[in-house]
């Protein structure tokens, strides 16, 4: 460890998820580890393998407790367990509303319910407001700007300033070696406090970050040099002062200063000196958080140099926090892009990643053109081939077909065995959706014919497909559970497109009258087929075979 300090124990790794604004339960492990469980609409806590929050605890029932979302609230219920469910130390006997930071105990497992971002909220730290703001501000004996401005070497004439600049650079160098690109917020905050304790003779430390939703400062991490000293009280007056001036502040010896005789937030627990410095955004126009340190054992524990050191640490911490936030955002975006690329074209993936396309849970009734394609005789073909060859054949086939879907602005809804389901008209609607869908179907047949020529030349069995399309109003959107959402369409129109795929013989593209009207009959060579009698439709369906697409 690069900091030789009073304490030899390195900070523990806290395996917590990236900070989010979603409701979650945080399980506190025996070694202080934290594990987060995001909450959906309905959540079961217990030993069952199907539980939303699975607990390896012998004193916990298979389905012990339930947390349900009701409106904007989350309700805790015991499921008739023998050992009961405890909320903030009291056993519950009926539905109970959860609040941010509530502690839930079932068996020997302790969990914390969180709505705001960050890890488990420190229980031994609190923001308090002084009744006499004027007196408390009079106790501020030093202020230091949070940003360092390094002058060119030929302009430096003050040896003291040169030493201060060197100290900032030294702290920055050691800070970067110790923190590096840590992405876990809990671990990063732990390391920042460790650095402060190594360099400054403080007794307590707290880091507050601004909540993304409430925009209020929330205590996210705390550290005590000697655990058990009592609750850490953070002065709201000092926090307000730091936010207003964007400068670090240092208070005098509060106990011996009669100006603090009625100052609750500073001297209630014997605080002799305190410092607070801002964590600024990269543009320095926003206070994103505050670091607070206090001392209880030594008179005049902090000096102006200590405040400068803490300001230097805060400057480095601000950069590290922003880098961590950017890294998590990039990871989230990469994951989102990977998921979206499974069913959206690259152009639509880009729009979805920018937020231009809404892919939230729920469905909307809209007009779509739905395509189904299916390999004819696939079962008999696959039975005669080794499994590995079947997998390779299908992967190559799907690659060809999906590329065509994307070329024509369609989206891949899903693979159903050897079948493909594609959609046009959502999440982006275009006037030529139906036309593009039919052109894609024609190209799929043509591309497959070329691919089959290569397969036959290599002594392999060719594949034959039938394709059916229909245009109609269906429900489309992200559907499924909170753990497995799928962007898909449901409705009678989807069923009809599937039925028409069944009507199509090898090498055929069959479309409904509605699809032909929307696509434009003058854009394709069509051949009317006998009306098809399909399941769940009383009247026969007017259908066409698409011979070819006309160049326009």
């Amino acid at each position: 460890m690069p900091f030789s300090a009073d304490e030899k124990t390195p900070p523990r790794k806290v395996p917590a998820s990236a900070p989010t604004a979603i409701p979650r339960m945080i399980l506190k492990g025996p070694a202080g580890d934290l594990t987060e469980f995001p909450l959906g609409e309905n959540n079961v806590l217990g030993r069952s393998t199907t539980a939303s929050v699975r607990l390896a605890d012998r004193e916990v029932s298979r389905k012990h407790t339930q947390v349900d979302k009701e409106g904007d609230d989350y309700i805790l219920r015991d499921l008739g367990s023998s050992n009961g469910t405890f909320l903030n130390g009291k056993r519950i006997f009926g539905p109970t509303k959860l609040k941010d930071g509530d502690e839930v105990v079932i068996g020997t497992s302790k969990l914390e319910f969180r709505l705001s971002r960050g890890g488990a909220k420190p229980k031994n730290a609190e923001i308090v407001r002084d009744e006499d703001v004027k007196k408390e501000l009079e106790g501020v004996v030093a202020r230091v700007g949070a940003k360092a401005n390094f002058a060119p070497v030929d302009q430096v004439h003050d040896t003291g300033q040169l030493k201060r600049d060197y100290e900032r650079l030294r702290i920055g160098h050691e800070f970067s070696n110790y923190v590096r690109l840590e992405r876990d917020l809990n671990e990063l905050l732990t390391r920042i406090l460790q650095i402060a304790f190594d360099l400054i003779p403080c007794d307590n430390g707290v880091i507050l970050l601004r909540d993304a939703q409430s925009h209020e400062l929330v205590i996210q991490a705390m550290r005590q040099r000697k655990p058990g000293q009592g609750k850490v009280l953070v002065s709201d007056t000092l926090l307000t002062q730091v936010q207003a001036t964007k400068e670090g502040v240092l208070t005098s010896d509060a106990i011996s200063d009669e100006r603090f005789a009625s100052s609750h937030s500073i001297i209630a627990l014997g605080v002799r000196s305190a410092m607070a410095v801002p964590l600024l955004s990269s543009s320095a126009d926003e206070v994103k958080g505050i670091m607070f340190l206090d001392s209880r054992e030594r008179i005049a524990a902090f000096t102006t140099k200590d405040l400068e050191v803490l300001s230097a640490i805060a400057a480095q911490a601000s950069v590290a926090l922003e880098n961590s936030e950017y890294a998590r955002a990039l990871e989230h975006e990469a994951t989102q892009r990977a998921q979206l690329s499974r069913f959206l074209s690259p152009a639509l993936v880009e729009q979805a990643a920018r937020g231009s396309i809404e892919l939230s849970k729920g469905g909307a009734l809209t007009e779509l053109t739905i395509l189904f394609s299916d390999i004819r005789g696939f079962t008999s073909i696959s039975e005669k081939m080794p499994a590995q060859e079947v997998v390779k054949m299908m992967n190559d086939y799907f690659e060809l077909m999906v590329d065509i879907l994307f070329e024509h602005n369609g989206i891949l809804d899903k693979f159903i065995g050897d079948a493909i389901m594609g959609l046009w008209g959502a999440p982006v609607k275009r006037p030529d959706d139906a036309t593009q869908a039919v052109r894609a179907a024609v190209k799929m047949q043509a591309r497959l014919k070329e691919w089959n020529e290569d397969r036959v030349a290599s002594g392999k069995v060719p594949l034959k497909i039938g394709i059916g399309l229909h245009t109609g109003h269906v429900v489309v959107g992200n559907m499924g559970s909170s753990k497995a959402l799928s962007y898909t369409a449901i409705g009678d129109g989807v069923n009809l497109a599937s039925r028409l795929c069944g009507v199509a013989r090898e090498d055929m593209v069959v479309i409904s009258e509605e699809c032909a009207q929307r696509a434009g009959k003058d854009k394709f060579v069509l051949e009317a087929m006998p009306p098809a009698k399909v399941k769940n439709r009383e009247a026969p369906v007017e259908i066409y075979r698409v011979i070819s697409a006309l160049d326009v």
Side-chain angles (χ1 to χ4, degrees):
M1 183 180 298
F3 299 97
S4 61
D6 303 331
E7 299 179 59
K8 304 296 184 182
T9 305
R12 293 189 298 266
K13 177 67 179 175
V14 183
S17 305
T20 60
I22 62 173
R24 59 208 183 278
M25 282 293 197
I26 301 177
L27 174 64
K28 304 175 183 180
D33 294 341
L34 303 176
T35 305
E36 293 191 3
F37 297 90
L39 298 178
E41 298 287 328
N42 304 104
N43 313 271
V44 173
L45 288 68
R47 287 190 295 107
S48 172
T49 55
T50 61
S52 310
V53 179
R54 189 182 180 192
L55 304 171
D57 186 337
R58 292 183 179 181
E59 296 187 24
V60 172
S61 304
R62 292 184 66 256
K63 295 184 178 181
H64 195 110
T65 306
Q66 187 156 332
V67 177
D68 299 318
K69 189 175 188 298
E70 298 182 3
D72 294 331
D73 299 326
Y74 281 81
I75 307 300
L76 180 70
R77 293 180 174 86
D78 185 81
L79 298 178
S81 65
S82 57
N83 292 328
T85 299
F86 294 81
L87 178 62
N88 298 326
K90 296 182 179 180
R91 185 168 183 171
I92 65 169
F93 295 96
T96 307
K97 178 182 173 181
L98 288 169
K99 301 187 298 297
D100 188 32
D102 276 349
E103 183 180 71
V104 177
V105 176
I106 56 178
T108 61
S109 300
K110 291 184 178 182
L111 304 103
E112 185 171 321
F113 173 71
R114 290 304 306 274
L115 285 171
S116 55
R117 72 173 180 173
K121 203 183 273 185
K123 293 290 186 182
N124 208 28
E126 178 184 346
I127 300 174
V128 294
R129 183 168 182 80
D130 194 333
E131 296 177 359
D132 195 334
V133 173
K134 181 180 178 181
K135 288 184 178 180
E136 187 162 353
L137 288 180
E138 287 175 352
V140 175
V141 296
R143 290 185 172 88
V144 170
K147 287 287 183 181
N149 296 315
F150 297 98
V153 65
D154 58 347
Q155 297 179 17
V156 179
H157 306 293
D158 182 357
T159 305
Q161 183 61 48
L162 186 63
K163 289 181 178 180
R164 287 192 292 272
D165 288 346
Y166 171 80
E167 183 69 5
R168 284 179 178 270
L169 292 173
R170 184 184 72 82
I171 292 171
H173 173 70
E174 296 199 6
F175 189 100
S176 63
N177 286 338
Y178 187 46
V179 172
R180 296 188 182 276
L181 295 178
E182 178 61 57
R183 292 187 295 275
D184 184 285
L185 180 64
N186 296 301
E187 175 68 6
L188 180 57
L189 297 178
T190 298
R191 292 189 179 196
I192 292 170
L193 285 175
Q194 171 73 34
I195 292 169
F197 272 60
D198 286 342
L199 295 175
I200 298 172
C202 57
D203 295 319
N204 304 290
V206 170
I207 295 179
L208 306 95
L209 297 179
R210 194 173 301 284
D211 184 78
Q213 294 179 333
S214 67
H215 303 292
E216 295 180 353
L217 288 172
V218 178
I219 295 174
Q220 295 291 346
M222 69 159 285
R223 182 184 180 92
Q224 293 185 295
R225 195 173 296 276
K226 296 179 180 179
Q229 285 186 317
K231 181 171 286 190
V232 180
L233 297 183
V234 182
S235 167
D236 177 71
T237 303
L238 292 187
L239 298 182
T240 302
Q241 181 75 2
V242 171
Q243 292 183 83
T245 63
K246 298 177 183 176
E247 293 181 335
V249 296
L250 166 64
T251 68
S252 63
D253 181 6
I255 288 179
S256 62
D257 194 332
E258 62 182 17
R259 290 175 303 183
F260 289 95
S262 62
S263 185
H264 169 69
S265 66
I266 290 292
I267 68 170
L269 287 179
V271 173
R272 291 184 176 274
S273 192
M275 294 188 294
V277 294
L279 301 171
L280 298 174
S281 61
S282 55
S283 58
D285 60 355
E286 180 186 1
V287 177
K288 303 190 73 172
I290 291 178
M291 285 186 68
F292 175 89
L293 301 182
D294 74 31
S295 173
R296 298 179 182 178
E297 295 188 353
R298 295 190 302 114
I299 297 175
F302 301 142
T303 64
T304 301
K305 180 179 179 181
D306 291 323
L307 183 58
E308 291 177 348
V309 169
L310 184 60
S311 295
I313 294 172
Q316 296 295 323
S318 299
V319 174
L321 286 167
E322 285 200 343
N323 288 342
S324 175
E325 187 175 343
Y326 291 149
R328 292 193 301 270
L330 289 173
E331 286 182 350
H332 175 73
E333 182 176 328
T335 301
Q336 185 184 51
R337 286 176 181 270
Q339 293 174 340
L340 293 174
S341 65
R342 293 181 300 168
F343 60 91
L344 296 180
S345 66
L348 290 181
V349 169
E350 185 64 30
Q351 292 184 52
R354 293 198 309 264
S356 303
I357 299 175
E358 180 61 41
L359 294 175
S360 58
K361 186 176 178 181
L365 185 66
T366 187
E367 183 178 275
L368 297 185
T369 298
I370 305 103
L371 175 150
F372 277 90
S373 72
D374 187 66
I375 298 176
R376 300 302 181 232
F378 175 72
T379 302
S380 61
I381 293 174
S382 61
E383 287 176 347
K384 301 172 185 176
M385 298 170 60
Q388 294 88 340
E389 189 174 336
V390 173
V391 171
K392 184 180 185 309
M393 175 185 72
M394 293 307 299
N395 285 339
D396 292 343
Y397 163 73
F398 285 141
E399 192 78 28
L400 286 174
M401 299 298 103
V402 172
D403 281 349
I404 295 172
L405 255 67
F406 289 171
E407 286 172 19
H408 290 270
N409 299 319
I411 73 168
L412 173 66
D413 183 291
K414 63 174 69 73
F415 298 121
I416 310 169
D418 61 296
I420 297 173
M421 178 179 171
L423 303 176
W424 280 259
V428 174
K429 185 175 289 293
R430 298 181 176 87
D432 64 342
D433 282 325
T435 304
Q436 290 292 336
V438 179
R439 288 188 180 279
V442 173
K443 186 176 288 189
M444 288 167 70
Q445 291 288 15
R447 187 77 58 84
L448 184 64
K449 183 178 179 180
E450 297 171 358
W451 189 57
N452 279 331
E453 290 175 356
D454 293 336
R455 286 184 60 81
V456 172
S458 302
K460 299 177 181 177
V461 178
L463 298 182
K464 302 290 184 178
I465 64 173
I467 303 177
L469 298 97
H470 172 64
T471 301
H473 284 84
V474 297
V475 176
V476 63
N478 266 323
M479 303 178 198
S481 72
S482 58
K483 300 178 182 60
L485 286 176
S486 176
Y487 191 80
T488 189
I490 59 174
D492 180 65
V494 176
N495 297 334
L496 179 54
S498 178
R499 303 284 185 264
L500 297 185
C501 179
V503 171
R505 296 189 297 275
E506 292 181 354
D507 303 325
M508 287 180 60
V509 175
V510 175
I511 64 175
S512 66
E513 171 66 26
E514 293 85 350
C515 183
Q517 290 286 352
R518 289 288 190 274
K521 293 183 178 181
D522 58 332
K523 296 182 175 66
F524 302 92
V525 177
L526 303 177
E527 177 185 297
M529 298 178 65
K533 178 65 177 174
V534 297
K535 186 177 180 181
N536 297 328
R537 291 251 178 162
E538 293 184 5
V541 177
E542 297 292 330
I543 59 175
Y544 299 87
R545 177 185 179 185
V546 183
I547 305 301
S548 62
L550 299 174
D551 293 330
V552 290

